[in-house]
């Protein structure tokens, strides 16, 4: 606290006036998401920092700020590609306040005139979800690779910039929906392989799929023009301990 030793001190008066002006400038605040509108891509946020408000008895009381409504949520995006997250109530976030009114831009996009002349106002916040307090830190953060992961670390995509290897860990399973998939090199399956549908292919020597484990195949399987599924027959069959002939 600045001690006023002289009356009518212009420097002190300026400092107090400047500090009062600063108190009305909002830049950024941590907050907690109360609700999320996936259609409008906005959320309602409760600021996490309380403000001291002077009461009628001249004493300061810590008071919660009002809810911030219709705050646009930031999702990393560019070039017609976007990374989205299932924003939930209780998620921590950072609210960044625009220096000017965003109402006209938010409603119409493009370059717009200001609907109001307000500046650094609580009404003009953008929400960046993912900022965390210490009680909500994520365990087991990788210090060597980039991950898209569940908070508990049980499922993730991992990109290692050193080995250039992409690793997928999915205890709940992996589902690929695509009309066509291309694998440029060999494929190795270690475990149960279940196949539903047709299988067509050709390969040069050394370029083939390697499967270590059981195979469940539903459909017709042909190798070099020969059916090798459970309906195929053999030629030259003889009784006794002799082996059957080649696949017909």
């Amino acid at each position: 606290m600045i001690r006023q030793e002289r009356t009518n001190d212009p420097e002190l008066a300026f400092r107090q006036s400047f500090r009062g002006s600063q108190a009305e400038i909002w830049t950024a605040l941590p907050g907690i998401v109360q609700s999320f509108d996936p259609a409008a891509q906005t959320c309602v946020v409760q600021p996490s920092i309380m403000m001291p408000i002077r009461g009628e008895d001249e004493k300061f009381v810590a008071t919660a700020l009002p809810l911030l409504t219709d705050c646009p949520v930031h999702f990393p995006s560019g070039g017609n590609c976007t990374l989205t997250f299932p924003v939930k109530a209780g998620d921590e976030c950072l609210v960044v306040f625009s220096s000017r009114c965003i109402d006209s831009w938010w409603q119409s996009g493009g370059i717009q005139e200001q609907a109001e002349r307000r500046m650094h106002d609580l009404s003009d916040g953008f929400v960046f979800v993912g900022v965390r307090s210490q009680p909500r830190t994520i365990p087991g953060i990788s210090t060597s690779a980039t991950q898209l992961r569940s908070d508990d670390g049980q499922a993730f995509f991992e990109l290692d910039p050193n080995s250039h290897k992409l690793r997928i860990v999915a205890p709940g399973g992996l589902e690929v929906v695509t009309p066509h998939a291309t694998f440029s090199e060999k494929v190795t399956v270690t475990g149960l392989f279940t196949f539903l549908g047709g299988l067509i292919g050709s390969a040069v020597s050394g370029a083939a799929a390697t499967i270590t484990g059981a195979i469940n195949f539903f459909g017709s399987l042909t190798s070099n023009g020969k059916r090798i599924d459970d309906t195929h027959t053999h030629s030259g069959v003889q009784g006794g301990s002799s082996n059957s002939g080649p696949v017909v």
Side-chain angles (χ1 to χ4, degrees):
M1 179 180 295
I2 300 176
R3 181 179 178 184
Q4 185 173 3
E5 297 180 349
R6 295 181 297 170
T7 59
N8 299 322
D9 185 343
E11 181 180 350
L12 178 58
F14 174 77
R15 290 182 180 179
Q16 291 177 333
S17 176
F18 182 70
R19 185 173 180 84
S21 297
Q22 280 184 307
E24 298 178 357
I25 298 175
W26 300 98
T27 55
L29 282 174
I32 300 174
V33 174
Q34 304 299 299
S35 63
F36 173 64
D37 183 342
Q41 292 157 37
T42 61
C43 65
V44 176
V45 177
Q46 173 61 63
S48 301
I49 304 297
M50 303 178 77
M51 300 300 295
I53 303 297
R54 191 192 302 271
E56 294 181 357
D57 58 359
E58 298 300 317
K59 293 183 179 179
F60 286 96
V61 179
T63 305
L65 288 168
L67 292 176
L68 309 178
T69 61
D70 293 329
C71 297
V73 176
H74 168 262
F75 292 113
S77 63
N80 295 323
C81 295
T82 305
L83 177 62
T84 65
F85 305 95
V87 180
K88 303 293 185 182
D91 285 348
E92 292 183 312
C93 62
L94 179 68
V95 187
V96 177
F97 301 100
S98 173
S99 63
R100 297 296 186 272
C101 173
I102 67 172
D103 290 355
S104 296
W105 166 84
W106 179 72
Q107 181 177 1
S108 304
I111 301 174
Q112 304 293 335
E113 294 184 2
Q114 298 179 55
E116 296 184 18
R117 299 300 181 184
R118 62 178 182 254
M119 297 184 292
H120 302 280
D121 195 88
L122 289 175
S123 302
D124 302 308
F126 294 89
V127 174
F128 292 77
V129 179
V131 178
R132 292 175 178 266
S133 60
Q134 283 298 300
R136 291 174 58 86
T137 55
I138 301 174
I141 289 290
S142 174
T143 59
S144 60
T146 297
Q147 291 185 340
L148 172 60
R149 50 168 283 174
S150 57
D151 283 356
D152 60 10
Q154 296 299 305
F156 58 86
F157 289 80
E158 180 179 273
L159 175 62
D160 190 321
N162 297 313
S163 65
H164 297 160
K165 182 177 181 179
L166 176 63
R167 184 183 180 208
I168 302 174
V169 176
L174 175 64
E175 181 177 349
V176 179
V177 180
T178 178
H180 181 75
T182 300
F183 296 88
S184 61
E185 302 293 340
K186 65 180 181 180
V187 177
T188 300
V189 179
T190 58
L192 178 64
F193 182 79
T194 301
F195 191 89
L196 304 173
L199 182 63
I200 302 175
S202 62
V204 298
S205 177
T210 301
I211 301 176
T212 303
I215 301 177
N216 290 337
F217 187 88
F218 299 90
S220 176
L221 180 61
T222 303
S223 176
N224 294 326
K226 306 292 185 179
R227 291 176 63 94
I228 58 174
D229 54 30
D230 56 356
T231 64
H232 74 268
T233 59
H234 294 263
S235 62
V237 177
Q238 299 178 358
S241 59
S242 300
N243 294 326
S244 64
V247 176
V248 176

